[in-house]
Amino acid sequence: MIDKLEFFIALAREQHFGRAAEECGVTQPTLSAGIKQLEDILGVMLVQRGSRFQGLTPEGRQVLDWARRIVGDTRAMREEMRAARHGLSGRIRIAAIPTALAMVPRLTTPFRDKHPGVTFSILSRTSIEVLSLLGNFEIDAGITYLDNEPLGRVTSVPLYAERYQLITAAGNEYSDRDKVTWEEVSTLPLCLLTPDMQNRRIIDQHLADAGVQVRPTLESNSMIVLFSHIRTGKWSSIMPLNLAETFGFAEPIRAIPIVEPDASHNVGLVVARRDPNTTLVQALLDEAMTLAGDFRRQS
């Protein structure tokens, strides 16, 4: 039954029989037969069939919610029994928004010091993708904004408040200032994250609130690309204070607080809401709460 539910979850996620079978490590006929057997057990059609995948039936969408819970609970049980026999081990999959990636080692490093049998997979994703991956059990935890867009059914641990700085080369306009307004920043040649990133949507909103609009001269979904262009001295950017501090900007690069308003947005760890959590996820939540205390003491 669990295998059949996992087949069904994979099909709902991939929306393609061949890709779902490949993900599950079985042949396409095996996956199709497993889902047909699941339909026979439940007495309802789950998938709209044709020459290719055409979507889930209304009953299929209901079963999908149950399937995710049942498979999640089964994985949690297996993980807890493994931890009871051998100590905490396994792989933790984390997806983080780009502006939080530089902070991730402050979570993973002390965690692995305590639990050396644990390994990590870290992905860079948009805030929307973080929540989608979490809902589909493709990751164990996400690091994303907590207070700007709806999160859905998650448990969250606030870690730090993201505040914004103008990052620019010495000698550029405003580089000798100790603060700058959002309206002033709008006049500079900016390189920013792409519009699918929540950080960009936040920045656009603060600029709009200041009565200005910006058309960046460069957009990228990579922080490395933005940093490399800032270092040319020809571009400026708007980045969180904690990110600028992590990369240790020094002369000739300056980080200048943006005011009017002095805006901040909470970033934190999110996991799927369940009771109980898996032992790995609970240990990660505990580590996140410790890290949150560290951030509070530093602020």
Side-chain angles (χ1 to χ4, degrees):
M1 182 71 165
I2 298 301
D3 288 344
K4 296 176 180 62
L5 292 173
E6 289 186 331
F7 291 171
F8 180 57
I9 292 171
L11 179 61
R13 179 168 56 245
E14 297 296 331
Q15 299 186 12
H16 187 278
F17 283 94
R19 289 196 299 269
E22 183 178 354
E23 181 186 322
C24 294
V26 299
T27 64
Q28 185 171 328
T30 298
L31 182 131
S32 297
I35 291 176
K36 182 64 172 65
Q37 290 167 6
L38 183 61
E39 290 177 324
D40 291 342
I41 292 169
L42 297 176
V44 294
M45 293 289 293
L46 302 176
V47 179
Q48 296 175 7
R49 282 181 171 77
S51 57
R52 62 184 63 186
F53 179 82
Q54 296 180 353
L56 302 181
T57 65
E59 295 81 4
R61 289 191 290 272
Q62 284 182 275
V63 170
L64 181 60
D65 290 336
W66 281 102
R68 287 170 172 163
R69 288 198 292 269
I70 292 168
V71 169
D73 286 343
T74 302
R75 291 175 181 172
M77 178 182 65
R78 289 171 178 164
E79 184 181 295
E80 191 164 323
M81 294 304 98
R82 184 173 65 247
R85 293 194 307 271
H86 307 296
L88 205 58
S89 63
R91 177 175 291 271
I92 297 181
R93 303 160 299 169
I94 301 174
I97 54 175
T99 58
L101 286 171
M103 181 279 304
V104 173
R106 296 189 59 176
L107 180 66
T108 54
T109 303
F111 186 96
R112 195 166 186 279
D113 287 342
K114 296 171 185 173
H115 309 291
V118 174
T119 60
F120 294 91
S121 174
I122 311 296
L123 305 174
S124 175
R125 293 291 185 267
T126 68
S127 57
I128 292 172
E129 289 171 334
V130 167
L131 296 179
S132 176
L133 291 169
L134 200 61
N136 287 330
F137 293 99
E138 294 179 76
I139 57 172
D140 303 294
I143 299 175
T144 188
Y145 295 100
L146 301 183
D147 57 3
N148 194 56
E149 295 177 357
L151 294 176
R153 291 178 53 81
V154 301
T155 298
S156 63
V157 177
L159 294 175
Y160 61 89
E162 190 177 83
R163 288 183 168 82
Y164 305 97
Q165 307 258 313
L166 168 65
I167 310 298
T168 193
N172 284 345
E173 190 174 6
Y174 306 128
S175 65
D176 59 345
R177 300 269 291 272
D178 59 3
K179 61 184 178 181
V180 65
T181 68
W182 288 92
E183 184 176 2
E184 289 170 329
V185 167
S186 70
T187 65
L188 299 174
L190 294 174
C191 56
L192 299 174
L193 286 171
T194 49
D196 60 324
M197 300 290 179
Q198 191 172 168
N199 170 266
R200 173 64 184 282
R201 296 195 291 275
I202 288 171
I203 287 171
D204 285 348
Q205 185 58 56
H206 287 308
L207 290 166
D209 291 343
V212 294
Q213 282 187 325
V214 166
R215 290 184 178 177
T217 53
L218 184 145
E219 297 175 325
S220 176
N221 63 359
S222 166
M223 299 304 300
I224 298 300
V225 170
L226 300 187
F227 284 128
S228 62
H229 281 79
I230 293 167
R231 291 190 182 280
T232 68
K234 303 298 184 181
W235 274 276
S236 301
S237 190
I238 301 170
M239 293 186 181
L241 172 60
N242 63 290
L243 187 62
E245 289 175 338
T246 298
F247 277 84
F249 281 135
E251 294 293 345
I253 304 298
R254 299 226 34 227
I256 304 162
I258 305 175
V259 297
E260 298 182 20
D262 179 10
S264 67
H265 294 271
N266 288 323
V267 174
L269 184 81
V270 294
V271 302
R273 185 178 301 170
R274 61 185 315 110
D275 186 20
N277 292 308
T278 69
T279 51
L280 277 176
V281 166
Q282 186 57 54
L284 189 66
L285 286 170
D286 293 342
E287 193 63 49
M289 287 186 277
T290 299
L291 178 58
D294 293 341
F295 277 118
R296 284 195 298 270
R297 287 188 290 272
Q298 293 170 9
S299 62

